Amino acid sequence: MTRDLHPWPRTEAEAVAIQERLRSAVRVEDPPQIRTAAGLDVAYRDADEVVAVVTVLDVATLSVVDSSVVRGEAGFPYVPGLFAFREAPPLLTALDELSVRPDVLVCDGQGLAHPRRFGLACHLGVLTGLPSIGVGKTAMGRCEPPGEERGDWSPLHLDGEVVGRALRTQRGVKPVFVSVGHRFTLDAACDLVLRLAPEYRLPETTRTADHLGRVQD
């Protein structure tokens, strides 16, 4: 599933250079029909031991139709803005172990809402060629609080540019922060997140992946 577009870096400078080079490959466009959505999450057992989890959900029923768990050691240090170089390698391995190819990757992190406009969702989307979106729990940028009703949103700004939205998925609950990863539009990304979050703040893709990661020994 993965295209070999770069070697995995050893230094911060090499990682930044990869982001700068690949960010022009991100496409913002109407997505294809979405029938299955993958939730991607990484749990940490200590500073460097990781458990990468992917769950694939049927979007119509929100039932899990496939999943994969990969354990390993993070091969890159903890550097803000470069999380993809810690989390993408085990997540890509987990994606390759799936028997169901998802129509979209829903990442627990950022897409274009990133200092170099190339967060984890962008990186995984470009490397796999799959549509992808980022759904963050915290804002990367600045925004006004959206209205209190489900579906209300406000623009998320970074360096004077709109890079995503603060989206209220449940009435009176803190918003999530949605940004495009690859081969998606922001409107379509927010519509999908609302479909995936009928009851709780976080989409079921994130919730199922997080739960599966937590129950691993």
Side-chain angles (χ1 to χ4, degrees), residues 35-112:
R35 297 185 178 89
T36 57
L40 293 84
D41 187 61
V42 175
Y44 289 85
R45 291 294 181 264
D46 57 31
D48 291 313
E49 183 184 356
V50 299
V51 180
V53 180
V54 179
T55 54
V56 182
L57 276 62
D58 181 310
V59 172
T61 65
L62 299 183
S63 59
V64 177
V65 297
D66 198 6
S67 64
S68 176
V69 178
V70 169
R71 301 172 181 273
E73 295 290 324
F76 196 82
Y78 181 91
V79 180
L82 300 177
F83 295 150
F85 296 98
R86 286 174 66 84
E87 301 192 348
L91 286 171
L92 290 168
T93 300
L95 284 168
D96 283 339
E97 293 185 357
L98 294 172
S99 58
V100 176
R101 181 180 175 89
D103 295 321
V104 60
L105 308 179
V106 182
C107 300
D108 179 24
Q110 313 295 340
L112 292 176

Coordinates of all heavy atoms in Angstrom, one line a residue, residues 35-112:
R35 N -17.0 4.3 1.6 CA -17.7 3.2 2.2 C -17.1 2.6 3.5 O -17.8 2.2 4.4 CB -17.9 2.0 1.2 CG -18.7 2.3 -0.1 CD -18.9 1.1 -0.9 NE -19.7 1.4 -2.1 CZ -19.2 1.8 -3.3 NH1 -17.9 2.0 -3.4 NH2 -19.9 2.0 -4.3
T36 N -15.8 2.7 3.5 CA -15.0 2.2 4.7 C -14.0 3.3 5.1 O -13.4 4.0 4.3 CB -14.2 0.9 4.4 OG1 -13.4 1.1 3.3 CG2 -15.2 -0.2 4.1
A37 N -13.9 3.4 6.4 CA -13.0 4.4 7.0 C -12.1 3.8 8.0 O -12.5 3.0 8.8 CB -13.7 5.6 7.6
A38 N -10.8 4.1 7.9 CA -9.8 3.5 8.8 C -9.5 4.5 9.9 O -9.2 5.7 9.6 CB -8.5 3.1 8.1
G39 N -9.5 4.1 11.2 CA -9.0 4.9 12.3 C -7.6 4.5 12.6 O -7.3 3.3 12.7
L40 N -6.7 5.5 12.8 CA -5.3 5.2 13.0 C -4.9 5.8 14.4 O -5.2 7.0 14.6 CB -4.4 5.7 11.9 CG -4.5 5.0 10.6 CD1 -5.7 5.6 9.7 CD2 -3.2 5.2 9.7
D41 N -4.2 5.1 15.2 CA -3.9 5.6 16.5 C -2.6 4.9 17.0 O -2.3 3.7 16.6 CB -5.0 5.3 17.5 CG -4.7 6.0 18.9 OD1 -4.6 7.2 18.9 OD2 -4.6 5.2 19.9
V42 N -1.7 5.6 17.7 CA -0.5 5.0 18.3 C -0.5 5.2 19.8 O -0.7 6.4 20.3 CB 0.7 5.7 17.6 CG1 2.0 5.2 18.3 CG2 0.8 5.4 16.2
A43 N -0.4 4.1 20.5 CA -0.3 4.2 21.9 C 1.2 4.0 22.3 O 1.9 3.2 21.7 CB -1.1 3.1 22.6
Y44 N 1.6 4.6 23.4 CA 3.0 4.5 23.9 C 3.0 3.7 25.2 O 2.3 4.1 26.1 CB 3.6 5.9 24.1 CG 3.9 6.6 22.8 CD1 2.9 7.3 22.1 CD2 5.1 6.5 22.2 CE1 3.1 7.9 20.9 CE2 5.4 7.2 21.0 CZ 4.4 7.9 20.3 OH 4.6 8.5 19.2
R45 N 3.8 2.7 25.2 CA 4.0 1.9 26.5 C 5.1 2.5 27.4 O 5.0 2.4 28.6 CB 4.3 0.4 26.1 CG 3.2 -0.3 25.5 CD 2.0 -0.4 26.5 NE 0.9 -1.2 25.9 CZ -0.2 -0.6 25.4 NH1 -0.2 0.8 25.3 NH2 -1.2 -1.3 24.9
D46 N 6.1 3.1 26.8 CA 7.1 3.9 27.5 C 7.5 5.0 26.5 O 6.8 5.3 25.5 CB 8.2 3.1 28.1 CG 8.9 2.3 27.0 OD1 9.0 2.8 25.8 OD2 9.5 1.2 27.3
A47 N 8.7 5.6 26.7 CA 9.1 6.7 25.9 C 9.2 6.3 24.4 O 8.9 7.1 23.5 CB 10.4 7.2 26.4
D48 N 9.6 5.1 24.1 CA 9.8 4.7 22.7 C 9.1 3.4 22.3 O 9.1 3.1 21.1 CB 11.3 4.5 22.5 CG 12.1 5.9 22.5 OD1 11.6 6.8 21.9 OD2 13.1 5.9 23.2
E49 N 8.5 2.7 23.1 CA 7.8 1.5 22.7 C 6.4 1.9 22.3 O 5.6 2.5 23.0 CB 7.7 0.5 23.9 CG 7.0 -0.8 23.5 CD 6.8 -1.8 24.6 OE1 7.2 -1.4 25.7 OE2 6.1 -2.8 24.4
V50 N 6.0 1.5 21.0 CA 4.8 2.0 20.4 C 3.9 0.8 20.1 O 4.4 -0.3 19.7 CB 5.0 2.9 19.2 CG1 5.8 4.1 19.6 CG2 5.7 2.1 18.1
V51 N 2.6 1.0 20.1 CA 1.6 0.1 19.6 C 0.8 0.8 18.6 O 0.0 1.7 18.9 CB 0.7 -0.5 20.8 CG1 -0.3 -1.5 20.2 CG2 1.6 -1.1 21.8
A52 N 1.0 0.5 17.3 CA 0.2 1.1 16.2 C -1.0 0.3 15.9 O -0.9 -0.9 15.7 CB 1.1 1.3 15.0
V53 N -2.1 1.0 15.9 CA -3.4 0.3 15.7 C -4.2 0.9 14.5 O -4.2 2.2 14.4 CB -4.3 0.4 16.9 CG1 -5.6 -0.3 16.7 CG2 -3.6 -0.2 18.1
V54 N -4.8 0.1 13.7 CA -5.7 0.5 12.6 C -6.9 -0.3 12.7 O -6.9 -1.5 12.8 CB -5.0 0.3 11.2 CG1 -6.0 0.8 10.1 CG2 -3.7 1.1 11.1
T55 N -8.1 0.4 12.8 CA -9.4 -0.3 12.7 C -10.1 0.2 11.4 O -10.0 1.4 11.1 CB -10.2 0.0 13.9 OG1 -10.4 1.4 14.1 CG2 -9.7 -0.7 15.1
V56 N -10.8 -0.6 10.7 CA -11.5 -0.3 9.5 C -13.0 -0.4 9.8 O -13.4 -1.5 10.2 CB -11.1 -1.1 8.3 CG1 -11.9 -0.6 7.1 CG2 -9.6 -1.0 8.1
L57 N -13.7 0.6 9.6 CA -15.2 0.6 9.9 C -16.0 0.8 8.6 O -15.6 1.5 7.7 CB -15.5 1.8 10.8 CG -15.4 1.6 12.3 CD1 -13.9 1.4 12.7 CD2 -15.9 2.8 13.1
D58 N -17.1 0.1 8.6 CA -18.1 0.3 7.6 C -18.8 1.6 8.0 O -19.4 1.7 9.1 CB -19.1 -0.9 7.6 CG -20.2 -0.7 6.6 OD1 -20.9 0.3 6.5 OD2 -20.5 -1.7 5.9
V59 N -18.8 2.6 7.1 CA -19.3 3.9 7.4 C -20.8 3.9 7.6 O -21.3 4.7 8.4 CB -18.9 4.9 6.3 CG1 -19.6 6.3 6.5 CG2 -17.4 5.1 6.3
A60 N -21.5 3.0 6.9 CA -23.0 2.9 7.1 C -23.4 2.4 8.4 O -24.4 2.9 9.0 CB -23.6 2.1 6.0
T61 N -22.7 1.4 9.0 CA -23.1 0.8 10.2 C -22.2 1.1 11.4 O -22.5 0.9 12.5 CB -23.1 -0.7 10.1 OG1 -21.8 -1.2 9.8 CG2 -24.0 -1.1 8.9
L62 N -21.0 1.7 11.1 CA -20.0 2.0 12.1 C -19.5 0.7 12.8 O -18.9 0.8 13.9 CB -20.4 3.0 13.1 CG -20.8 4.4 12.5 CD1 -21.2 5.4 13.6 CD2 -19.7 4.9 11.7
S63 N -19.6 -0.4 12.2 CA -19.1 -1.7 12.7 C -17.7 -1.9 12.2 O -17.3 -1.5 11.1 CB -19.9 -2.9 12.3 OG -20.0 -3.0 10.9
V64 N -16.8 -2.5 13.0 CA -15.4 -2.8 12.7 C -15.4 -4.0 11.7 O -15.9 -5.1 12.1 CB -14.6 -3.0 13.9 CG1 -13.1 -3.4 13.5 CG2 -14.6 -1.8 14.8
V65 N -14.8 -3.8 10.6 CA -14.7 -4.9 9.6 C -13.3 -5.5 9.5 O -13.1 -6.6 8.9 CB -15.3 -4.5 8.2 CG1 -16.8 -4.1 8.3 CG2 -14.5 -3.3 7.7
D66 N -12.3 -4.8 10.0 CA -11.0 -5.3 9.9 C -10.1 -4.5 10.9 O -10.5 -3.4 11.3 CB -10.4 -5.1 8.5 CG -9.1 -6.0 8.3 OD1 -8.8 -6.8 9.1 OD2 -8.5 -5.8 7.2
S67 N -9.0 -5.0 11.4 CA -8.1 -4.3 12.3 C -6.8 -4.9 12.2 O -6.6 -6.1 11.7 CB -8.7 -4.4 13.7 OG -8.7 -5.7 14.2
S68 N -5.8 -4.2 12.7 CA -4.4 -4.6 12.7 C -3.7 -3.9 13.8 O -3.9 -2.7 14.1 CB -3.7 -4.3 11.4 OG -2.3 -4.6 11.4
V69 N -2.8 -4.6 14.5 CA -2.0 -4.1 15.6 C -0.5 -4.4 15.3 O -0.2 -5.6 15.1 CB -2.4 -4.7 16.9 CG1 -1.5 -4.1 18.1 CG2 -3.9 -4.4 17.2
V70 N 0.4 -3.4 15.5 CA 1.8 -3.6 15.3 C 2.5 -3.0 16.4 O 2.3 -1.9 16.8 CB 2.3 -3.0 13.9 CG1 3.8 -2.9 13.9 CG2 1.7 -3.7 12.7
R71 N 3.4 -3.8 17.0 CA 4.3 -3.3 18.1 C 5.7 -3.0 17.6 O 6.1 -3.6 16.6 CB 4.4 -4.3 19.2 CG 3.1 -4.7 19.8 CD 3.3 -5.9 20.8 NE 2.0 -6.3 21.4 CZ 1.5 -5.8 22.5 NH1 2.2 -4.9 23.1 NH2 0.4 -6.2 23.0
G72 N 6.3 -2.0 18.2 CA 7.7 -1.7 17.8 C 8.3 -0.6 18.6 O 7.7 -0.2 19.6
E73 N 9.5 -0.2 18.2 CA 10.2 0.9 18.8 C 10.2 2.1 17.9 O 10.5 1.9 16.7 CB 11.7 0.4 19.1 CG 11.8 -0.7 20.1 CD 11.4 -0.3 21.5 OE1 11.7 0.9 21.9 OE2 10.8 -1.1 22.3
A74 N 9.9 3.2 18.5 CA 10.0 4.5 17.7 C 11.4 4.7 17.2 O 12.4 4.6 18.0 CB 9.5 5.6 18.5
G75 N 11.5 5.0 15.9 CA 12.9 5.1 15.3 C 13.3 6.6 15.2 O 14.3 6.8 14.5
F76 N 12.5 7.5 15.8 CA 12.9 8.9 15.6 C 12.5 9.6 16.9 O 11.5 9.2 17.6 CB 12.0 9.5 14.5 CG 12.5 10.9 14.0 CD1 13.6 10.9 13.1 CD2 12.0 12.1 14.4 CE1 14.1 12.2 12.7 CE2 12.5 13.3 14.0 CZ 13.5 13.3 13.1
P77 N 13.3 10.6 17.3 CA 13.0 11.3 18.6 C 11.7 12.1 18.6 O 11.1 12.4 17.6 CB 14.2 12.2 18.8 CG 14.7 12.4 17.4 CD 14.5 11.2 16.7
Y78 N 11.3 12.4 19.8 CA 10.1 13.2 20.0 C 10.4 14.7 19.7 O 11.1 15.4 20.5 CB 9.6 13.1 21.4 CG 8.3 13.8 21.8 CD1 7.1 13.2 21.6 CD2 8.4 15.1 22.3 CE1 5.9 13.8 22.0 CE2 7.2 15.8 22.6 CZ 6.0 15.1 22.5 OH 4.8 15.8 22.8
V79 N 10.0 15.2 18.5 CA 10.2 16.6 18.1 C 8.9 17.1 17.6 O 8.3 16.6 16.7 CB 11.2 16.6 17.0 CG1 11.5 18.1 16.6 CG2 12.5 16.0 17.4
P80 N 8.4 18.2 18.2 CA 7.1 18.8 17.8 C 7.2 19.1 16.3 O 8.2 19.6 15.8 CB 7.1 20.1 18.6 CG 7.8 19.8 19.9 CD 9.0 18.9 19.4
G81 N 6.1 18.8 15.6 CA 6.0 19.0 14.2 C 6.6 17.9 13.3 O 6.4 17.9 12.1
L82 N 7.2 16.9 14.0 CA 7.8 15.8 13.3 C 7.3 14.4 13.8 O 8.0 13.4 13.7 CB 9.3 15.8 13.4 CG 10.0 17.1 12.8 CD1 11.5 17.1 13.0 CD2 9.7 17.2 11.3
F83 N 6.1 14.5 14.4 CA 5.6 13.2 15.0 C 5.4 12.1 13.9 O 5.5 10.9 14.3 CB 4.2 13.5 15.6 CG 4.3 14.4 16.8 CD1 3.2 15.2 17.1 CD2 5.4 14.4 17.6 CE1 3.3 16.1 18.2 CE2 5.5 15.3 18.7 CZ 4.4 16.1 19.0
A84 N 5.2 12.5 12.7 CA 4.9 11.5 11.6 C 6.1 10.6 11.5 O 6.0 9.4 11.2 CB 4.7 12.2 10.3
F85 N 7.3 11.0 11.8 CA 8.5 10.2 11.6 C 8.6 9.2 12.8 O 9.4 8.2 12.7 CB 9.7 11.1 11.5 CG 9.7 11.9 10.3 CD1 9.3 13.2 10.3 CD2 10.0 11.4 9.0 CE1 9.2 14.0 9.2 CE2 9.9 12.1 7.9 CZ 9.5 13.5 8.0
R86 N 7.9 9.4 13.9 CA 7.8 8.4 14.9 C 6.7 7.4 14.6 O 6.8 6.2 14.8 CB 7.6 9.0 16.3 CG 8.8 9.7 16.9 CD 8.4 10.5 18.1 NE 8.0 9.6 19.2 CZ 8.9 9.0 20.1 NH1 10.2 9.1 19.9 NH2 8.4 8.3 21.1
E87 N 5.5 8.0 14.2 CA 4.3 7.2 14.2 C 4.0 6.6 12.8 O 3.3 5.6 12.7 CB 3.1 8.1 14.6 CG 3.4 8.6 16.1 CD 2.1 9.2 16.7 OE1 1.1 9.4 16.0 OE2 2.1 9.4 17.9
A88 N 4.4 7.2 11.7 CA 4.0 6.7 10.4 C 4.6 5.3 10.1 O 3.9 4.5 9.6 CB 4.5 7.7 9.3
P89 N 5.9 5.0 10.4 CA 6.4 3.7 10.1 C 5.6 2.5 10.6 O 5.2 1.6 9.9 CB 7.8 3.7 10.6 CG 8.2 5.2 10.5 CD 7.0 5.9 10.9
P90 N 5.3 2.5 11.9 CA 4.5 1.4 12.4 C 3.0 1.4 11.9 O 2.4 0.4 11.7 CB 4.5 1.5 13.9 CG 4.8 2.9 14.2 CD 5.7 3.3 13.1
L91 N 2.5 2.6 11.7 CA 1.1 2.7 11.1 C 1.1 2.2 9.7 O 0.1 1.5 9.3 CB 0.6 4.1 11.2 CG 0.2 4.6 12.5 CD1 -0.1 6.1 12.5 CD2 -1.0 3.9 13.1
L92 N 2.1 2.4 8.9 CA 2.2 1.9 7.5 C 2.3 0.4 7.5 O 1.7 -0.3 6.7 CB 3.3 2.5 6.8 CG 3.2 4.0 6.5 CD1 4.5 4.6 6.0 CD2 2.1 4.2 5.4
T93 N 3.0 -0.2 8.5 CA 3.1 -1.6 8.6 C 1.7 -2.2 8.9 O 1.3 -3.2 8.4 CB 4.1 -2.0 9.7 OG1 5.4 -1.5 9.3 CG2 4.2 -3.5 9.8
A94 N 1.0 -1.5 9.9 CA -0.3 -2.0 10.2 C -1.3 -1.9 9.1 O -2.1 -2.8 8.8 CB -0.8 -1.2 11.4
L95 N -1.2 -0.9 8.3 CA -2.0 -0.7 7.1 C -1.7 -1.9 6.1 O -2.7 -2.4 5.5 CB -1.8 0.6 6.4 CG -2.4 1.8 7.1 CD1 -1.9 3.1 6.5 CD2 -4.0 1.8 6.9
D96 N -0.5 -2.2 5.9 CA -0.1 -3.3 5.0 C -0.6 -4.6 5.4 O -0.8 -5.5 4.6 CB 1.4 -3.3 4.8 CG 1.9 -2.2 3.9 OD1 1.1 -1.7 3.1 OD2 3.1 -1.9 4.0
E97 N -0.9 -4.8 6.7 CA -1.4 -6.1 7.2 C -2.9 -6.2 7.1 O -3.5 -7.3 7.4 CB -1.0 -6.3 8.7 CG 0.5 -6.4 8.8 CD 1.0 -6.8 10.2 OE1 0.1 -6.8 11.1 OE2 2.2 -7.0 10.4
L98 N -3.6 -5.2 6.7 CA -5.1 -5.2 6.6 C -5.5 -6.1 5.4 O -4.8 -6.2 4.4 CB -5.7 -3.8 6.4 CG -5.6 -2.8 7.5 CD1 -6.0 -1.5 7.0 CD2 -6.4 -3.3 8.7
S99 N -6.6 -6.7 5.5 CA -7.2 -7.5 4.4 C -8.3 -6.6 3.7 O -8.6 -6.9 2.5 CB -7.9 -8.8 4.9 OG -8.9 -8.5 5.8
V100 N -8.8 -5.6 4.3 CA -9.7 -4.6 3.7 C -9.0 -3.3 3.5 O -8.5 -2.7 4.4 CB -10.9 -4.4 4.6 CG1 -11.9 -3.4 4.0 CG2 -11.7 -5.7 4.9
R101 N -9.0 -2.9 2.2 CA -8.4 -1.6 1.9 C -9.3 -0.5 2.1 O -10.4 -0.4 1.5 CB -7.9 -1.6 0.4 CG -7.3 -0.3 0.0 CD -6.9 -0.4 -1.5 NE -6.3 0.9 -2.0 CZ -5.0 1.2 -2.0 NH1 -4.2 0.3 -1.5 NH2 -4.6 2.3 -2.5
P102 N -9.0 0.4 3.1 CA -10.0 1.5 3.4 C -10.1 2.5 2.4 O -9.1 2.8 1.6 CB -9.4 2.1 4.7 CG -7.9 1.8 4.6 CD -7.8 0.5 3.9
D103 N -11.2 3.2 2.3 CA -11.4 4.3 1.4 C -10.9 5.6 1.8 O -10.6 6.5 1.0 CB -12.9 4.5 1.1 CG -13.5 3.3 0.4 OD1 -12.8 2.7 -0.5 OD2 -14.7 2.9 0.7
V104 N -10.7 5.8 3.2 CA -10.1 7.0 3.7 C -9.4 6.6 5.0 O -9.8 5.7 5.8 CB -11.2 8.0 4.0 CG1 -12.3 7.5 5.0 CG2 -10.7 9.3 4.5
L105 N -8.3 7.4 5.3 CA -7.6 7.3 6.6 C -8.0 8.4 7.5 O -7.9 9.6 7.0 CB -6.1 7.3 6.3 CG -5.5 6.4 5.3 CD1 -4.0 6.6 5.2 CD2 -5.8 4.9 5.6
V106 N -8.5 8.1 8.7 CA -8.9 9.1 9.6 C -7.8 9.1 10.7 O -7.8 8.2 11.6 CB -10.3 8.9 10.2 CG1 -10.7 10.0 11.2 CG2 -11.3 8.8 9.1
C107 N -6.9 10.1 10.7 CA -5.8 10.1 11.6 C -6.0 10.9 12.9 O -6.7 11.9 12.9 CB -4.6 10.7 10.9 SG -4.1 9.9 9.4
D108 N -5.5 10.3 14.0 CA -5.6 11.0 15.3 C -4.5 12.0 15.3 O -3.4 11.8 15.9 CB -5.5 10.0 16.4 CG -5.5 10.6 17.8 OD1 -6.1 11.7 17.9 OD2 -5.0 10.0 18.7
G109 N -4.7 13.1 14.6 CA -3.6 14.1 14.5 C -4.0 15.2 13.5 O -5.1 15.4 13.2
Q110 N -3.0 15.8 12.9 CA -3.2 16.9 12.0 C -2.9 16.6 10.6 O -2.1 15.6 10.3 CB -2.3 18.1 12.4 CG -2.2 18.4 13.9 CD -3.6 18.9 14.5 OE1 -4.4 19.4 13.7 NE2 -3.7 18.8 15.8
G111 N -3.5 17.4 9.7 CA -3.2 17.3 8.3 C -2.5 18.6 7.8 O -1.3 18.9 8.2
L112 N -3.2 19.5 7.1 CA -2.7 20.8 6.7 C -2.5 21.7 7.9 O -1.8 22.7 7.8 CB -3.6 21.4 5.7 CG -3.6 20.7 4.3 CD1 -4.6 21.4 3.4 CD2 -2.2 20.7 3.7

